[in-house]
């Protein structure tokens, strides 16, 4: 059951100083329920690739399809978690308020929204932090809030762009385990981007390795991820 396909994607940035080929030729297929890591060094085009998949940037060539529909604008059935967690949370809303925000326009009852928020906060281990404000929490806990918001939203695919690059090693290990559990226990489809090969091999069932030098290389690895 195919969820996401990226076919012969190419992106060239044009500017007054010349053109930069950010993505040469990338093809990726992701099935529903998979956890796929994309790994590669800084500058190999990871952020550009994600912006194209998220419908924020038009590719120079190639096609992206999510759930059978061509992506030409930000798809409603996708959630994003970025490295800069602090910037994605509203400081004037509590943790609950932040997690609930994207559910507001769905025509859900108050009880149904509460249920989804409670479930998401429990999933990330923040069931007691609902009344706190983001700025009262550590960076790692703020990132948990961002993840809870994505869980409550119930997207077809969760996209994470270097989400743990700014937290300390122990917090990062805890958050990696959280992502693993969301995938194994809830069957979430997750596309996880990192420059850290160890992180990609630890997390991914499939790892797509991108490299730009000397020429464009894409290599797909299959990791045997045995549930614990
Ligand atoms: P990564 O996320 O892997 O670090 P990026 O997608 O950010 O890679 O960048 C890939 C290449 O494209 C780099 O050479 C970068 O300098 C260039 N690039 C990224 N964004 C732009 C832009 N808006 N204009 C011009 N060049 C860009
Ligand atoms: P990353 O976190 O992937 O390394 P950067 O910090 O390099 O990303 O880039 C931050 C922002 O600047 C991105 O929106 C990217 O598209 C843009 N950018 C990166 N390189 C260039 C460039 N050479 N020219 C213009 N914009 C760029």
């Amino acid at each position: 059951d195919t969820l996401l396909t990226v076919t012969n994607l190419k992106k060239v940035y044009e500017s007054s100083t010349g053109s930069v080929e950010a993505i040469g030729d990338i093809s990726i297929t992701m099935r529903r329920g998979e956890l796929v890591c994309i790994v590669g060094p800084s500058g190999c085009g990871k952020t550009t690739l994600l912006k194209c998949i998220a419908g924020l940037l038009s590719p120079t060539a190639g096609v992206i399809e999510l759930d059978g529909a061509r992506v030409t604008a930000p798809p409603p059935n996708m959630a994003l978690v970025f490295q800069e967690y602090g910037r994605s949370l509203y400081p004037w809303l509590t943790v609950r308020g932040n997690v609930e925000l994207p559910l507001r326009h769905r025509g859900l009852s108050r009880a149904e929204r509460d249920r989804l928020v409670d479930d998401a906060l429990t999933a990330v281990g923040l069931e007691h932090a609902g009344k706190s404000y983001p700025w009262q929490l550590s960076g790692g806990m703020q990132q948990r809030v961002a993840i809870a918001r994505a869980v409550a939203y119930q997207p077809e695919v969760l996209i994470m762009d270097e989400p743990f690059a700014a937290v300390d090693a122990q917090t990062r290990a805890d958050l990696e385990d959280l992502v693993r559990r969301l995938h194994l226990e809830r069957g979430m489809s997750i596309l996880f981007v990192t420059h850290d090969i160890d992180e990609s091999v630890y997390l991914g069932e499939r790892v797509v390795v991108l490299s730009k030098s000397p020429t464009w290389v894409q290599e797909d690895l299959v990791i045997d991820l045995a549930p614990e």
Side-chain angles (χ1 to χ4, degrees):
D1 187 7
T2 300
L3 176 63
L4 176 73
T5 58
V6 175
T7 311
N8 299 119
L9 189 75
K10 181 176 167 152
K11 179 65 188 181
V12 178
Y13 290 107
E14 306 284 358
S15 74
S16 50
T17 52
S19 60
V20 179
E21 185 176 72
I23 297 177
D25 182 8
I26 291 180
S27 295
I28 297 170
T29 303
M30 183 175 170
R31 290 192 307 275
R32 205 177 298 278
E34 261 193 318
L35 199 176
V36 176
C37 285
I38 295 177
V39 65
S42 189
C44 76
K46 301 184 296 296
T47 299
T48 302
L49 171 63
L50 287 193
K51 283 182 182 168
C52 291
I53 291 174
L56 300 168
L57 199 61
S58 313
T60 306
V63 174
I64 297 163
E65 283 183 311
L66 175 63
D67 230 354
R70 192 165 169 166
V71 174
T72 53
N77 49 354
M78 177 182 285
L80 298 151
V81 173
F82 298 106
Q83 178 182 329
E84 300 94 349
Y85 39 83
R87 278 204 265 153
S88 76
L89 301 176
Y90 291 104
W92 58 85
L93 292 177
T94 62
V95 165
R96 280 198 83 84
N98 272 281
V99 173
E100 190 189 1
L101 197 61
L103 302 176
R104 290 258 178 100
H105 305 290
R106 282 206 179 162
L108 300 170
S109 69
R110 172 89 236 167
E112 182 66 7
R113 283 205 304 270
D114 281 347
R115 194 189 62 75
L116 287 170
V117 172
D118 286 337
D119 172 63
L121 288 176
T122 304
V124 304
L126 286 182
E127 58 272 38
H128 303 299
K131 291 196 166 75
S132 302
Y133 286 87
W135 44 268
Q136 296 175 306
L137 305 176
S138 67
M141 284 170 85
Q142 288 180 32
Q143 199 60 310
R144 283 178 193 265
V145 179
I147 294 169
R149 185 164 59 187
V151 170
Y153 188 69
Q154 300 180 297
E156 287 292 339
V157 61
L158 171 60
I159 298 204
M160 310 187 85
D161 186 9
E162 305 252 5
F164 312 140
V167 298
D168 64 82
Q170 181 57 52
T171 303
R172 179 175 176 159
D174 293 343
L175 290 168
E176 286 168 359
D177 284 334
L178 169 60
V179 170
R180 244 170 174 244
R181 275 196 290 110
L182 292 176
H183 163 63
L184 291 173
E185 293 170 11
R186 297 180 170 239
M188 284 184 78
S189 310
I190 302 175
L191 186 63
F192 190 102
V193 174
T194 176
H195 64 265
D196 184 336
I197 188 83
D198 290 339
E199 184 173 50
S200 71
V201 172
Y202 176 68
L203 275 179
E205 281 168 306
R206 247 166 8 91
V207 178
V208 177
V209 185
L210 301 180
S211 154
K212 206 175 181 175
S213 59
T215 54
W216 270 95
V217 186
Q218 176 189 343
E219 194 148 1
D220 288 18
L221 309 174
V222 178
I223 314 275
D224 190 6
L225 181 71
E228 282 154 299

